[in-house]
Amino acid sequence: MLDLVIRDALLVDGTGSEPVQGDIGVADGRIVAMGRVEERGTKTVGADGRVVCPGFIDVHTHFDAQVFWDPYLSPSPQHGVTSAVAGNCGFSIAPLSPAAAPYLMRMLSRVEGMPLESLTEGVPWDWTATSDYLERCEGNLAINLGFMVGHSAIRRVVMGEAANERSADPQELAAMCTLLREGLAAGGFGFSSTNSESHSDLDGRPVPSRFADRDEFLTLARVCGEFEGTSLEMLPRGLGRMDGAFDDDVVDLMITMSREARRPLNWNPIIPTASDLETIEARLAMTDQAAARGAKIVGLTFPIDHFVRFSFYHSAAIFDLLEGWAPVLALPLDARLQALRDPEIRARMRAGAERTPNMAHLTRWDTLVIVETHTPETASFTGRVVGDIAREQGKDPFDALLDVVVADGLRTSFSRRHGGPPEADWAARFKVVDDPRTVVGASDAGAHLDRSTTFRYSTGLLEEYVRNRGLLSPERAIHLLTGAPARLYGFRDRGVLALGAHADLLVVDLDRIAAGEVTTVFDLPAGAGRLYSEPEGIDHVVVAGTEIIEDGQLTRAVPGRVLRAGVDTTTPTLAV
Ligand SMILES: [Zn+2]
């Protein structure tokens, strides 16, 4: 008797091969039969011709804090993700020390857009070693989760305040190497870092890893290379400037890190638009340069429309970069609401915004669109352009926006108006997705909770490229979500349907597949909100042979495991 049999499926195995019809049998968490399966199962799922494929592998997430309040890591499993990698960009929360904890919590709230009140209330912050943290997560996960060891965490634990002030001395660097070794020996997935200008903490200072010199980056990368099955991940300086290749010293640093560690290094995000294709091509050329030097650099590309929302509900919004805004936005919710009612404070904020020229793209108030409202009184403004509302009401656009926001108790979300030729952007996205120098991903799931809808990348890819546009065959699209990321990180027995592979499986209805409508749900610790969508067409999700989603609904089972480098991965190939 098998544990699970899925019958009458179109088997798409994750390698890109043509689909075949058949059944699949599971015992002890592994695939033990494929094709015509005669044996019965304790549980049987009828696929009725739907696709059965490996669960999706999301290599760029920030689930490090969410594990403590949401063992399901929703909504990623609903979107078909069965394995993910957290701790990216240097922002792991292990290792930890009592002195580093308050800093890392505040840093994370800023750089990854997680509400500070949720991080304070929802995370215990009481472990020290990476091994303690991993043990804490074990047994409490619906999906499988690997963790990078983050540069900013180890630097802050070793150097305290000085981590945000200067380069490390030799003793400090040696102590960082020790912490990294301990984390990787415990199963950490690799070394992650950033030197991107986009990463500043809640006080506006660069995050710790941005104070590292070249020697520190290279030394830590080499430590990563001591451990089987590890990878490098890093956000490069210049990421936000869409004006061509990264600076030569950044390119050389990333290539040298990869070459000396003998590990692939991935960076992200690539957000293709027609107007940015030249810059993207210049950046992808880094992969060719790396290959010529015996290294491997891969960019993670986000495959669908990158729709970003804003609100005044969370304290750590992007708007704190506007001159004079940070103190207002740091107020507790009620006080912030009062402040945003006050005409004098509004006048000061409006003037401060005008004095912040590099944010002008965000502060053309008349061009913003109200995306979601939350009261009967504001419902009629949903989907409308702020400038039109202002004209109708005879108000200044900033006042018109804030009046809606205040009436909504600050929960309104709004967005920049979408311009440009969307079809040209789809062509650009496809070109980059189709490029062997990229891997599909950059979901940032678990981060930018009130702003970003990128967690829908997997179902979005299937909806847009397979169902709506016919740009990719089902087997190719599923390969991009399974076999390709598995290869990048060296996943062992995952990302593929094969005898002996882990039974992390999906039943997918490609005729119905859709990423789902995004709404705000207020289910985070301390009542904070996040963007959320439930897709159509991901009907069953199986992890280690146990259903975590049955007919589209979470079963509340937690069969996931902490993935450990060297056990769940082998050293990934340096071939592109
Ligand atoms: Zn990230």
Side-chain angles (χ1 to χ4, degrees), residues 143-187:
I143 67 171
N144 306 303
L145 193 56
F147 295 88
M148 304 295 277
V149 182
H151 193 175
S152 282
I154 58 177
R155 201 169 206 273
R156 186 74 194 195
V157 167
V158 168
M159 295 175 68
E161 269 298 305
N164 293 73
E165 291 164 357
R166 59 171 172 81
S167 53
D169 68 29
Q171 288 78 20
E172 288 163 339
L173 182 52
M176 281 190 244
C177 290
T178 300
L179 284 181
L180 178 57
R181 268 191 198 99
E182 286 174 4
L184 297 172

Side-chain angles (χ1 to χ4, degrees), residues 60-62 88-91 111-112 199 233 235 268-269 444 447-448:
H60 193 109
T61 77
H62 294 276
N88 282 293
C89 309
F91 304 135
V111 291
E112 297 301 345
H199 286 141
E233 183 268 348
L235 257 64
N268 91 126
D444 252 353
H448 312 299

